[in-house]
Amino acid sequence: MAKTPEFVKYAASIVPSERQIKWQETEFYAFIHYGINTYTDSEWGNGNEDPELFYPEKLDCRQWAKLCKLAGMKGLILTAKHHDGFCLWPSAYTDYSVRSSKWKDGNGDVVAECAEACREFGLKFGVYLSPWDRHEETYGTGDAYNKYFKNQLRELLTAYGELFCVWFDGACGEGANGKKQVYDWEGYYKLIRELQPNATINISGPDVRWCGNEAGICRKSEWSVVPYYHSNAELIASASQQNVSKPPKKINPTDLDLGSRKAIKKCNKLIWYPAEVDVSIRKGWFYHASEDYSVKPLSKLMDIYYNSVGANACFLLNIPPMPDGKINDKDVETLLSMGAQLEIDFNENLAEGSIITDNKHLDEEHCGQMALSSDPEEYWHSGDDPDGAELILDLGDEYDIDKIVLGEHIRTGQQIEKFSLYAQLDGKWKRIAKETVIGYKRICRFKEIRVRYFKLVIEKARCFATISKFEAY
Ligand code: FUL
């Protein structure tokens, strides 16, 4: 057995926080971009749009939440304030909010209605609060704006029940001669930890990593343990959108590998920092009638789902409501078909009640059979010599299968670096997948085969290997 290098042992020792585990389990959730831009047909407001423009005649947050639920999502994040500074809740610290609109005579609160609808439909609720604010006068002055921002944050963290996530955008389009605000990131994070300890802080924050583009593309290997510097807010801002007409479409090619041995070898500080893939169902983030005929087709959305949720990332899909406050029929239709497709794809786990044997395990309590347990705390553990470990799944009979879902017990870290999956066809093992990362979830998709036995071979792992999910569909 080869000696494990120290830096690999260090990487293997990095584990997620409870809040990161809960976030990862959310898997697929909605972004709702809604605000003053919805009424001006734009993507970025200037901060001087008239609040009276905000007038949803049929605001229906229950429609949003119900639709998300039926689409198979588990949460929703609302843009409480976008770059224009207009607040969807009646903030006590500015007049630039729903309070200055005629909607409900200035007595409305979209954040409250949306939080309530999420609770009703069993969705987790989160808020997007743009650090960049084009309306607020104190923006760019340092402390005064940081105070303003924290006051607003406190309102959102205390008045709307439990939040699963606070989403900080890295975007800022001030340009060379624009205002330069030095954000008090540490102060923002401290407040969130104090008032919503279970909420993850996404993107310009320490808990969840932006995948690096807004096109729904994630890396083939999305490692959860990466160098600490990837969580630096200024670095994230420099890669984020700086021009309204140029959303980042590609992952920087130099950032294709963030977590392999090669990528982490020389780094003395690592962090658990899993990826989130954010993309809009339309071209824009806000609603534009001109895009009614360019809603992404089901096939595209399913591909993004499999390449994100199925590759150790989470999928944040944006659905923009129309000026009347409802989601357009075109988006509704696509999302309902997505929910139905997910139901079909994961209709019955054929591995339930099957048998798994292994060639090594730590002890009886962590034998191969444990990979089939529905209790996430019961799992197979290879022991301290993981390379070459094998799990054989016997379904008891032949079935038509086109997907195997695997998952590591991430509470004990991300260990697996390389694996192959085989199916027994005509008495011979045929390789059907060869990948690197498993992490929280890896969905291996292949052409449907009629098969009884599958074999998972762990070709390389850090200090040990675990499997807590082994499902067949
Ligand atoms: C970007 C923003 O500039 C877009 O308007 C949108 O909010 C997207 C999610 O993030 O950086």
Side-chain angles (χ1 to χ4, degrees):
M1 183 176 128
K3 201 168 168 305
T4 312
E6 284 308 314
F7 80 94
V8 175
K9 283 192 198 159
Y10 170 48
S13 74
I14 308 286
V15 293
S17 62
E18 256 336 282
R19 67 175 80 83
Q20 285 173 313
I21 294 175
K22 288 273 168 304
W23 164 82
Q24 189 98 50
E25 289 168 355
T26 316
E27 296 191 356
F28 176 35
Y29 42 96
F31 227 166
I32 298 276
H33 271 68
Y34 181 56
I36 204 79
N37 295 338
T38 312
Y39 298 85
T40 56
D41 203 11
S42 52
E43 281 290 300
W44 281 6
N46 295 321
N48 53 17
E49 290 77 13
D50 185 350
E52 288 203 6
L53 290 170
F54 185 84
Y55 197 80
E57 277 158 58
K58 303 181 203 147
L59 181 78
D60 191 355
C61 298
R62 294 184 71 253
Q63 183 224 15
W64 309 352
K66 187 173 177 191
L67 177 63
C68 293
K69 188 75 186 174
L70 291 172
M73 297 174 169
K74 295 190 196 142
L76 181 158
I77 300 172
L78 173 67
T79 53
K81 175 183 94 166
H82 203 252
H83 312 325
D84 47 74
F86 181 80
C87 301
L88 289 181
W89 80 103
S91 171
Y93 301 94
T94 180
D95 291 336
Y96 203 50
S97 79
V98 281
R99 203 156 24 138
S100 302
S101 73
K102 291 230 168 62
W103 175 61
K104 296 198 170 177
D105 293 325
N107 294 313
D109 183 340
V110 183
V111 180
E113 289 193 26
C114 189
E116 181 55 35
C118 287
R119 268 190 290 279
E120 179 184 340
F121 289 97
L123 294 179
K124 301 184 192 181
F125 179 61
V127 291
Y128 165 115
L129 188 67
S130 169
W132 181 34
D133 188 321
R134 303 180 93 175
H135 178 84
E136 173 52 29
E137 269 181 11
T138 58
Y139 184 86
T141 63
D143 287 353
Y145 180 74
N146 282 326
K147 193 163 166 220
Y148 173 78
F149 191 78
K150 279 187 267 187
N151 280 333
Q152 292 202 319
L153 199 50
R154 191 174 299 104
E155 291 181 316
L156 293 171
L157 296 171
T158 51
Y160 301 101
E162 169 115 17
L163 302 179
F164 84 102
C165 153
V166 176
W167 214 93
F168 285 149
D169 202 320
C172 181
E174 285 295 327
N177 302 315
K179 296 179 189 166
K180 171 82 182 133
Q181 171 67 31
V182 180
Y183 298 117
D184 175 17
W185 293 113
E186 290 309 319
Y188 308 164
Y189 303 161
K190 195 163 156 255
L191 198 62
I192 298 170
R193 293 293 194 240
E194 192 185 308
L195 299 172
Q196 291 280 349
N198 300 325
T200 53
I201 308 171
N202 297 26
I203 313 314
S204 295
D207 299 321
V208 172
R209 172 168 56 85
W210 180 43
C211 68
N213 65 92
E214 294 175 358
I217 305 163
C218 92
R219 296 168 184 78
K220 212 166 146 31
S221 305
E222 278 299 0
W223 302 92
S224 297
V225 178
V226 300
Y228 179 74
Y229 60 78
H230 287 296
S231 66
N232 178 292
E234 301 308 320
L235 188 83
I236 297 160
S238 66
S240 299
Q241 193 169 355
Q242 281 149 27
N243 178 329
V244 66
S245 57
K246 276 200 197 127
K249 292 271 181 232
K250 285 192 188 127
I251 294 172
N252 180 341
T254 57
D255 273 352
L256 277 178
D257 172 15
L258 302 186
S260 73
R261 289 192 186 200
K262 195 166 158 249
I264 60 172
K265 190 167 181 180
K266 295 202 175 87
C267 180
N268 53 20
K269 191 162 179 197
L270 300 174
I271 181 179
W272 187 274
Y273 204 36
E276 180 186 73
V277 173
D278 64 327
V279 66
S280 185
I281 193 165
R282 291 157 174 250
K283 194 166 165 279
W285 291 96
F286 285 88
Y287 178 80
H288 309 288
S290 58
E291 292 174 0
D292 281 353
Y293 292 91
S294 56
V295 174
K296 290 189 174 58
L298 175 65
S299 58
K300 172 87 183 158
L301 295 178
M302 289 306 292
D303 276 345
I304 300 176
Y305 178 91
Y306 277 109
N307 293 332
S308 54
V309 177
N312 195 35
C314 280
F315 180 13
L316 173 56
L317 177 62
N318 181 63
I319 319 156
M322 299 183 284
D324 68 358
K326 295 188 74 170
I327 293 169
N328 185 277
D329 285 350
K330 298 264 182 311
D331 310 62
V332 171
E333 216 175 279
T334 309
L335 286 164
L336 291 180
S337 55
M338 179 148 186
Q341 188 64 54
L342 287 169
E343 287 268 328
I344 294 168
D345 286 8
F346 299 100
N347 172 37
E348 191 190 357
N349 172 14
L350 295 164
E352 231 176 76
S354 303
I355 291 174
I356 290 192
T357 49
D358 63 43
N359 65 349
K360 49 177 106 175
H361 50 247
L362 175 68
D363 53 29
E364 279 315 308
E365 275 165 36
H366 295 93
C367 66
Q369 189 65 24
M370 290 302 169
L372 291 180
S373 165
S374 55
D375 178 348
E377 284 317 303
E378 293 187 337
Y379 56 95
W380 166 75
H381 185 304
S382 64
D384 64 4
D385 180 20
D387 296 357
E390 292 183 7
L391 293 182
I392 294 180
L393 170 71
D394 175 4
L395 298 171
D397 204 346
E398 290 194 333
Y399 294 96
D400 295 324
I401 310 252
D402 64 2
K403 282 179 286 315
I404 290 286
V405 180
L406 300 168
E408 288 180 65
H409 178 254
I410 56 168
R411 244 193 199 91
T412 45
Q414 179 170 26
Q415 306 291 340
I416 296 169
E417 297 177 308
K418 206 168 22 98
F419 73 94
S420 285
L421 183 71
Y422 297 82
Q424 199 176 86
L425 300 172
D426 302 324
K428 286 202 190 95
W429 287 118
K430 183 172 180 293
R431 180 151 62 199
I432 49 173
K434 184 174 170 60
E435 303 281 357
T436 54
V437 169
I438 291 182
Y440 166 74
K441 191 180 257 193
R442 161 70 70 179
I443 306 175
C444 304
R445 282 197 294 174
F446 40 88
K447 209 166 158 277
E448 187 174 280
I449 41 178
R450 197 158 177 81
V451 61
R452 171 171 173 172
Y453 298 101
F454 284 96
K455 179 167 75 172
L456 170 68
V457 180
I458 309 299
E459 286 153 356
K460 192 129 207 94
R462 289 179 174 165
C463 288
F464 52 87
T466 64
I467 289 291
S468 70
K469 255 195 277 300
F470 202 141
E471 300 165 4
Y473 297 93

